[in-house]
Structure formats: structure tokens, C-alpha cells
Amino acid sequence: MSMRMLIDARHPEETRVAVAKGNRIEEFDFESSEHKQLKGNIYVAKVTRVEPSLQAAFIDYGGNRHGFLAFSEIHPDYYQIPNADRDALLAEEAAHPAEEERLRAAEYDDEDPEIAEDNGDDAGDPEAEVESQGESAAEVGTGSARSPVDESAAEELRKKRQALRRRYKIQDVIQRRQVLLVQVVKEERGNKGAALTTYLSLAGRYCVLMPNTSHGGGTSRKISNGADRKRLKSIMTDLKLPKSMGLILRTAGLSRTKTEIKRDSDYLARLWDEIGERTLASSAPAMIH
């Protein structure tokens, strides 16, 4: 059954978009001139309250309500701990995803190409490749026809990485009035404020750059063909990104050349530099991007 995208832009004050499968509407969204979209925006913000019982912080980023920032969404760079402890934590976190990536790469090498092709239909929702960040970014490239042994090993590594931070509590490492660079991942709804993260992601045409997610990267979950993944992996290796950054290649980049992908990644790198300059020149709370 064919999928169609229907766009209604007859009225200048509102644009509506629907994704229909046959006669059934699968997704619906709209953009209104009276309501500006917050999702994806980046702000320099200030911590207004740390809530130990929730292991979360409430953030003033300039919105109608204070945003909600879970402890798991706070990058260790913001922890108020000695530099030696922070460097050790980042090094431990980076070691586990490298091993996990090796396991998953070997898993795809052993996978039957026909099976891999069949798994592409339900590999994930369209927004997953753009919104993947933080812990979820390490999971791109997973399929359903994987070895139970490899999967259990990768899962064990992920649990070890998550356990590293449990030695800290948010009230011990984050302080009131601390300034953070945050991104909106979920809009305000009802009486609830927006959900925020410090693991940023910048979406381009063919790539998604995660400038402070060293353990994130790979290819979109929708690209399940082994040969395509190897070709894109070699392109990513040639890009020579800093270890502090992650990059996801989107499905739109599947048929693109190395030059086109590099041009897109260079644009995102320049955008990140501009965001850094605007951040240093701004006072919280303020919208940066």
C-alpha cells in the first residue's frame, strides 16, 4: 500500500501536513504563525532548581515554562567535579561504545544480505535518524536479525556505560544558576514544560552532527544493506571527525557521493563553530539556534 504526504498551505496563518497510508492517516502535524516551534532549537539556559527526588533539573531557557532536564541528558562536561575525575569518566564511557560498535560491525558482516534487506522496512520511524542523540545515538544501525550472543554482549556494554554515572547524584554535580547549552527535544504540552537535553544534534541534508556525543555515530537504522553500510562507513572514516563528535549518515545520503557528504558535514561543522561563538557572546536565557 502506497504512502502519501498531503500538504495544505492554502491559508498563510497555518500549514498542515498529513502522511496517509491508503485511506488511513498515519501522521499529522501543523505549523501555525501564532505558535512558533521549539523542537530542535538550541538555547543558552540557566538552572533554576535541582530536584533530587526526580534526579532532574528545571531550566530557564526563555520559554513560557521552565524546561525539564533529566540527569541522564546532562553531558559530563557540565559536572562540577575535578577535571581528573571528569576525564576518567569520559574515557571510560568512550571505551565501551567503541567495543560495542566493533561487535555490531562484525554482526552485519556475518548477516545474510537478503535478510538484512528485509529488515529495512520496519527499521524505525522517520524521525529516529534526526533525533538520535545521547544514549540512543549509540543504537543506530541495529537490526532485528542479529546473533543472540552479539546482542547480549552489546547490551552488557551499554549497561556498564550507563552504570558509570550512577556513582554521581545530580545534586552533587549540578548547581543552581549554572549555565548550560540545551536543545529542545519535546515541545511544551499542557501544563508541562519542554523536555531538554545537553546532547545536541544538528541535522543537515545527508548527515546529523552530534558535536558533543563522542560515543554516537554510524548510519541510519533504515540502511540495512551490508555493502551500503560498508561504503558509508569508509566515507565516515575519511571525514576524520574529532573524537568528541559523532555523525549519523541519513538515508538521504545513501546515493550521494563522498564529496557531497563531506560538503554537508563541513557545513554542519561551521554551523557548530558559529553556535559556539554566539553562545560566548550571549547571556542566559537566550536562543542561539
Side-chain angles (χ1 to χ4, degrees):
M1 191 175 293
S2 63
M3 298 279 288
R4 295 180 300 160
M5 179 178 287
L6 309 175
I7 302 175
D8 179 8
R10 292 174 296 176
H11 305 289
E13 67 274 7
E14 185 173 277
T15 301
R16 305 172 185 177
V17 180
V19 177
K21 187 174 184 179
N23 295 326
R24 180 187 179 90
I25 295 179
E26 298 289 332
E27 297 180 45
F28 176 79
D29 201 0
F30 70 92
E31 187 175 290
S32 173
S33 59
E34 298 179 356
H35 175 71
K36 294 183 179 180
Q37 182 174 333
L38 300 178
K39 188 175 180 180
N41 290 356
I42 297 175
Y43 300 85
V44 57
K46 188 179 295 184
V47 177
T48 58
R49 180 160 59 97
V50 176
E51 188 56 61
S53 62
L54 298 175
Q55 283 299 290
F58 291 93
I59 310 295
D60 180 12
Y61 66 98
N64 296 326
R65 299 177 182 84
H66 288 175
F68 181 85
L69 180 64
F71 186 31
S72 61
E73 295 293 337
I74 301 178
H75 194 279
D77 279 346
Y78 293 111
Y79 289 6
Q80 302 295 305
I81 57 178
N83 289 335
D85 293 347
R86 183 185 298 107
D87 292 342
L89 175 61
L90 291 172
E92 289 175 353
E93 283 195 335
H96 293 155
E99 178 64 17
E100 182 179 338
E101 183 179 358
R102 187 191 65 77
L103 287 171
R104 297 203 185 283
E107 177 184 321
Y108 269 95
D109 289 341
D110 297 338
E111 200 174 57
D112 190 306
E114 295 183 0
I115 296 177
E117 194 67 37
D118 291 340
N119 290 338
D121 294 338
D122 56 355
D125 62 271
E127 296 182 6
E129 60 191 18
V130 179
E131 297 177 359
S132 295
Q133 55 198 318
E135 298 299 336
S136 62
E139 298 179 24
V140 296
T142 60
S144 58
R146 59 170 63 101
S147 164
V149 177
D150 290 343
E151 174 59 20
S152 62
E155 182 66 25
E156 186 65 25
L157 284 171
R158 191 182 305 115
K159 287 180 179 179
K160 286 182 179 179
R161 184 171 71 246
Q162 293 172 346
L164 289 175
R165 301 189 191 186
R166 291 176 186 165
R167 70 185 72 165
Y168 301 105
K169 298 294 183 182
I170 190 171
Q171 62 270 25
D172 300 327
V173 297
I174 297 298
Q175 299 177 358
R176 188 169 174 265
R177 292 189 291 273
Q178 184 175 342
V179 175
L180 310 172
L181 192 63
V182 299
Q183 185 172 34
V184 178
V185 293
K186 189 177 291 186
E187 295 270 359
E188 296 178 353
R189 60 268 187 222
N191 294 325
K192 294 183 179 180
L196 309 174
T197 183
T198 62
Y199 288 95
L200 311 180
S201 62
L202 304 174
R205 286 186 175 182
Y206 315 125
C207 310
V208 178
L209 179 69
M210 296 170 291
N212 61 347
T213 308
S214 59
H215 56 266
T219 56
S220 167
R221 287 178 289 185
K222 285 192 166 185
I223 303 174
S224 54
N225 181 273
D228 290 335
R229 297 182 69 84
K230 284 184 178 179
R231 181 179 67 85
L232 295 175
K233 181 67 176 178
S234 66
I235 292 176
M236 288 186 62
T237 303
D238 293 340
L239 293 178
K240 297 180 180 178
L241 288 171
K243 291 184 178 181
S244 60
M245 291 187 176
L247 187 76
I248 295 176
L249 292 181
R250 307 175 65 180
T251 51
L254 179 59
S255 58
R256 299 298 175 175
T257 65
K258 176 182 176 180
T259 302
E260 290 175 305
I261 293 175
K262 186 177 187 306
R263 187 183 300 123
D264 192 48
S265 67
D266 288 345
Y267 159 74
L268 293 175
R270 289 195 303 272
L271 177 60
W272 173 240
D273 290 339
E274 293 174 5
I275 289 174
E277 292 174 1
R278 287 198 292 267
T279 300
L280 294 176
S282 303
S283 299
M287 185 171 72
I288 301 299
H289 173 69

